[in-house]
Amino acid sequence: MNIDEIFKIPAIPAGRNKRKMPATPDMDFFDKYKASAEEAEGSKSNTENEPSYKKQHIEDEEEDLTYATEKYQDDAAFEDEEGRFFGGGLTEEQSNILNLVDEYDIEETEVLSANNIKKMILKFEKAINKNQEMRVLYADQPEKFMESEADLDEEIKNLLTLTEAPQMYPELVKLGTVVSLMSLLSHENTDIAIDTIDLINELIDEDVGTTEEDLKRTDKVQESIKVFVDAMLENELLQLLVQNLGRMNEEEDTDRQGVFKILSIFENIISLEPKYAEDIALKTDILPWLLKRLQVKGFDANIEYASEILSILLQDNRDIRLKVGELDGVDILLRSLSAYRRKDASSEDESEMVENFFNALCSLLNEVENKNRFLDSEGIELMIIMMKERTLARIRAVKVLNYALNGEDSRERCVRFVDASGLKVLFPLFMGKGNKKLKKSHNSAFSESEDEEHISCIILSLLRNLTQNDVQRMRVILKFTEDDFEKVDRLVEMKDQYEQRDEAVKQELEEAKTSMDEEDYEDFEVDFYVRRLDAGLFTLQRICLLIAALSEENKGIRDKAVMLLKRNGKDMRSVFKIIEEETALVADFVSLRRLAKGESNNTSDKN
């Protein structure tokens, strides 16, 4: 008996799409096979009138048919009152599917009730107890307990029907089913554990309790699933799942899918309640496993999923970020990203993994401790190398540097950036070099406005953190004076561009006053600031800060800016009008002006 065949489940679906059952046979399918059977019966009755040589030929065929009949005579799936399977060419699996369809047709009006669930759970518990009993009695004779293992496997799969009634999940908790499920996660047969993992994943899948018409769960269903999940967490679900990660061999297809399903459970739990992310990350050993998995060479669905789970865990929790930093997470991510410093990923899924790496790195860089680790691991130098290319990494490297260089106590990192020839790479990007090619090659990933936002923030971080005594600060200022102040020209051009977008939003508000009633206008006005931000207000504010601060640094820059603004019918008052809209921006300008005058200043980031 081949144990693997008994518990074999399909391979991991590409792109994490849910596995689908084969299409249900329709009436044409049944009519076809019934007609085929009747035709075969009719031809048999005509053989008596055939010539002898034809009879011999038919007899040979009948011998082959007799052999096939004997071969499958013990299989009830091939014999029923209609004779539709006989000679139909169906495999055993297809026959079983058709039988299940028949059973469903008979019982389709039966709704899952508390009594029905109790019956299912009773059979499930009996299968568990029988298997445990047989394993104890015949511990050294697997062939004697394998039948009970197959029965248990079947009962686990039968529980998948519970996904049709998620509002009944609290019944599972009352019946003690959660404890039984948790015990199966430690089953000696990893195939049974994987079946249980698959069941749990399906029971809490984000699609459970939704329909094509209503994509949102009802409050009752949501609460029922939470009750079920809470009960599993109380019975150490998370720890058991991580233990299973440790005992699975991903060289085996079944184990590889088991890993995928475990990661899916983590994602479903976080999606159900984000606060569970802390329990997953800090109360289990999942973080070391994820970081170790990211270091495995080669790309597959599991490394992509591991990168996604890590990125999700790091989004909103300082303690998780610090723990990942302590586990050398910054260095591990940089090493993983270094493979893409001069080339793009070879597939869409692999590109998604690279995006997850960058998102995780940016989340880590929200903490000062990790910024220092980034500096020690030569992350700044790696990002500068990436910025020289025309790849996805070039787009995201600018964002990473924005995170790395901002904030308090960033002077050492800013000095390193300038000393590593970062200005030589940054300012061509500031001038828009290579943007057209990036739009063509990475249309979905590249946003020119986001790129300009990150670059303007990087320059502001340099001005905030480098003092008048730093030669690196002078190098930044000189960049705006070279080539006849062309970079000042670019600043004024960007100001005009974003100011026009902002004015368009303001004009929409004015038009709404006359075209909308009072109630609709109030709703429209509530989102006014958000629409301004979407149009690029944040970038416009940073550009105005740069124009004002650089004008304090150098008279030539100021004269050039005034001349260019006058050409557009504006003056420096239009710059300060934007800055004065927010108190924080005014405070930021005052701080930058003090630095320009050589006065000491406690730098603080306002981004």
Side-chain angles (χ1 to χ4, degrees):
M1 180 180 292
N2 190 333
I3 298 175
D4 291 335
E5 288 298 323
I6 293 178
F7 302 102
K8 186 175 181 181
I9 51 181
I12 299 169
R16 291 182 29 238
N17 293 323
K18 292 176 68 64
R19 288 180 286 115
K20 303 293 184 182
M21 287 289 288
T24 303
D26 55 22
M27 290 307 299
D28 291 337
F29 177 87
F30 293 120
D31 292 341
K32 175 183 175 183
Y33 279 99
K34 186 173 181 179
S36 176
E38 291 174 351
E39 183 180 347
E41 185 68 25
S43 27
K44 179 178 180 182
S45 63
N46 292 331
T47 57
E48 297 177 356
N49 300 323
E50 294 291 339
S52 58
Y53 69 92
K54 287 189 177 181
K55 285 183 179 180
Q56 179 64 40
H57 178 69
I58 293 172
E59 286 172 359
D60 292 340
E61 290 181 345
E62 288 178 347
E63 287 179 3
D64 294 338
L65 192 58
T66 300
Y67 170 76
T69 304
E70 292 174 351
K71 181 178 180 181
Y72 296 105
Q73 63 184 356
D74 294 330
D75 192 343
F78 285 84
E79 296 181 13
D80 65 0
E81 64 279 3
E82 297 180 4
R84 65 184 177 190
F85 296 120
F86 186 71
L90 294 177
T91 66
E92 182 179 354
E93 181 182 1
Q94 290 169 331
S95 302
N96 290 335
I97 291 171
L98 292 179
N99 284 341
L100 288 173
V101 172
D102 288 342
E103 292 175 13
Y104 178 76
D105 290 339
I106 295 171
E107 302 174 3
E108 63 180 345
T109 57
E110 184 178 355
V111 180
L112 277 175
S113 63
N115 287 334
N116 292 334
I117 291 176
K118 286 179 182 178
K119 292 177 183 178
M120 293 175 63
I121 298 305
L122 181 60
K123 292 180 66 177
F124 172 63
E125 296 289 351
K126 284 182 178 179
I128 293 176
N129 294 334
K130 181 66 175 177
N131 179 243
Q132 289 177 344
E133 179 184 342
M134 297 299 288
R135 272 188 168 271
V136 171
L137 290 174
Y138 305 103
D140 298 327
Q141 297 175 282
E143 66 278 2
K144 290 193 175 182
F145 62 69
M146 195 48 57
E147 183 177 352
S148 68
E149 214 119 294
D151 292 339
L152 175 57
D153 172 76
E154 183 179 354
E155 291 305 324
I156 293 172
K157 289 181 169 64
N158 287 340
L159 293 182
L160 288 169
T161 58
L162 292 171
T163 58
E164 299 300 321
Q167 70 278 3
M168 303 298 292
Y169 285 4
E171 287 295 320
L172 300 181
V173 178
K174 293 177 184 178
L175 294 170
T177 310
V178 170
V179 176
S180 299
L181 288 173
M182 297 304 100
S183 69
L184 292 179
L185 291 176
S186 300
H187 199 280
E188 294 86 345
N189 186 342
T190 55
D191 291 318
I192 292 293
I194 290 172
D195 279 344
T196 308
I197 289 166
D198 183 54
L199 172 62
I200 294 172
N201 182 53
E202 294 296 334
L203 289 174
I204 65 173
D205 187 87
E206 61 181 8
D207 292 333
V208 170
T210 65
T211 63
E212 292 183 1
E213 292 76 22
D214 190 359
L215 299 179
K216 187 177 180 180
R217 293 169 175 161
T218 64
D219 292 340
K220 181 179 180 181
V221 168
Q222 184 77 354
E223 185 58 33
S224 295
I225 296 175
K226 281 187 178 181
V227 168
F228 180 57
V229 170
D230 284 338
M232 290 193 292
L233 294 179
E234 290 172 4
N235 285 274
E236 300 185 340
L237 169 67
L238 301 179
Q239 290 81 358
L240 289 168
L241 291 176
V242 175
Q243 286 176 17
N244 273 281
L245 287 173
R247 69 169 177 159
M248 290 184 184
N249 176 16
E250 290 192 62
E251 292 183 2
E252 300 291 334
D253 289 342
T254 305
D255 284 19
R256 187 160 58 250
Q257 185 180 359
V259 170
F260 189 89
K261 292 294 184 182
I262 290 174
L263 296 176
S264 180
I265 291 174
F266 287 141
E267 183 181 23
N268 288 329
I269 289 175
I270 296 171
S271 176
L272 181 68
E273 184 58 72
K275 69 179 183 180
Y276 292 139
E278 185 171 351
D279 292 336
I280 292 171
L282 302 180
K283 294 184 180 180
T284 73
D285 290 328
I286 185 61
L287 292 179
W289 185 89
L290 289 172
L291 293 173
K292 182 179 179 181
R293 187 64 180 83
L294 296 186
Q295 298 177 72
V296 176
K297 291 185 178 180
F299 172 78
D300 58 33
N302 282 351
I303 193 172
E304 178 194 354
Y305 214 166
S307 69
E308 182 176 349
I309 297 300
L310 180 63
S311 177
I312 292 172
L313 291 174
L314 290 170
Q315 285 177 358
D316 301 309
N317 191 290
R318 169 175 165 81
D319 291 336
I320 297 175
R321 292 169 182 164
L322 291 178
K323 184 173 180 180
V324 171
E326 291 167 1
L327 293 170
D328 289 332
V330 173
D331 188 67
I332 289 170
L333 285 170
L334 288 173
R335 288 178 183 274
S336 299
L337 285 169
S338 66
Y340 303 95
R341 62 188 182 277
R342 298 188 187 279
K343 66 175 184 178
D344 275 317
S346 57
S347 68
E348 185 176 342
D349 288 338
E350 191 175 359
S351 294
E352 184 66 28
M353 179 191 70
V354 175
E355 290 276 20
N356 291 332
F357 287 160
F358 277 112
N359 289 336
L361 188 57
C362 287
S363 294
L364 287 171
L365 291 174
N366 278 294
E367 312 303 332
V368 174
E369 296 87 342
N370 290 330
K371 289 181 180 181
N372 294 332
R373 295 184 177 105
F374 181 79
L375 179 69
D376 294 339
S377 296
E378 299 184 349
I380 290 175
E381 288 81 354
L382 178 60
M383 296 302 116
I384 291 173
I385 291 173
M386 290 177 172
M387 287 166 61
K388 297 177 182 179
E389 307 300 327
R390 297 290 179 265
T391 62
L392 174 64
R394 172 280 189 235
I395 300 169
R396 300 299 176 237
V398 175
K399 179 180 178 181
V400 170
L401 283 172
N402 182 17
Y403 277 79
L405 300 182
N406 71 8
E408 298 180 1
D409 301 321
S410 294
R411 178 181 173 278
E412 185 178 1
R413 295 187 294 278
C414 289
V415 168
R416 174 77 70 85
F417 175 78
V418 177
D419 289 347
S421 301
L423 299 180
K424 184 178 180 181
V425 179
L426 180 68
F427 276 96
L429 304 186
F430 172 75
M431 297 299 293
K433 182 180 179 181
N435 284 359
K436 290 184 179 179
K437 291 183 179 179
L438 280 175
K439 286 179 182 178
K440 290 181 179 179
S441 60
H442 298 82
N443 184 49
S444 60
F446 180 69
S447 168
E448 190 167 10
S449 59
E450 287 183 13
D451 204 52
E452 290 170 348
E453 175 189 320
H454 292 312
I455 292 171
S456 61
C457 286
I458 290 172
I459 297 172
L460 273 173
S461 292
L462 295 173
L463 293 178
R464 290 185 184 117
N465 290 286
L466 298 172
T467 67
Q468 286 290 346
N469 295 326
D470 294 322
V471 66
Q472 291 83 4
R473 182 185 182 86
M474 183 57 64
R475 290 174 63 183
V476 175
I477 304 302
L478 288 175
K479 280 291 180 180
F480 285 92
T481 63
E482 62 187 21
D483 297 326
D484 194 25
F485 301 92
E486 66 172 2
K487 295 172 185 65
V488 179
D489 202 332
R490 172 66 173 153
L491 276 176
V492 175
E493 176 190 333
M494 291 169 66
K495 173 186 175 293
D496 183 56
Q497 173 188 337
Y498 283 99
E499 200 166 25
Q500 287 180 17
R501 296 182 190 177
D502 190 54
E503 289 297 329
V505 175
K506 291 179 180 178
Q507 183 62 34
E508 288 178 5
L509 183 67
E510 291 299 320
E511 293 174 357
K513 285 183 180 179
T514 58
S515 62
M516 293 183 179
D517 58 40
E518 185 176 349
E519 184 177 349
D520 290 340
Y521 177 74
E522 288 177 358
D523 293 337
F524 187 85
E525 192 175 24
V526 168
D527 297 329
F528 175 59
Y529 187 72
V530 175
R531 280 194 290 272
R532 289 186 69 192
L533 288 174
D534 291 340
L537 176 62
F538 186 86
T539 306
L540 173 62
Q541 292 169 338
R542 270 66 203 162
I543 291 169
C544 288
L545 266 178
L546 279 173
I547 293 173
L550 290 168
S551 295
E552 296 290 331
E553 294 276 357
N554 183 283
K555 185 178 182 300
I557 293 177
R558 179 181 178 83
D559 292 343
K560 183 70 173 182
V562 169
M563 184 267 289
L564 293 171
L565 288 168
K566 187 176 181 180
R567 183 185 297 174
N568 294 332
K570 302 287 181 65
D571 55 28
M572 289 297 289
R573 285 178 294 181
S574 66
V575 173
F576 286 101
K577 181 181 178 180
I578 299 295
I579 295 174
E580 290 168 357
E581 285 187 3
E582 294 186 18
T583 305
L585 291 172
V586 175
D588 203 0
F589 169 71
V590 171
S591 173
L592 288 168
R593 184 171 61 182
R594 291 182 64 186
L595 284 170
K597 293 180 178 180
E599 299 176 10
S600 62
N601 188 37
N602 294 324
T603 60
S604 61
D605 188 62
K606 306 295 181 182
N607 285 347

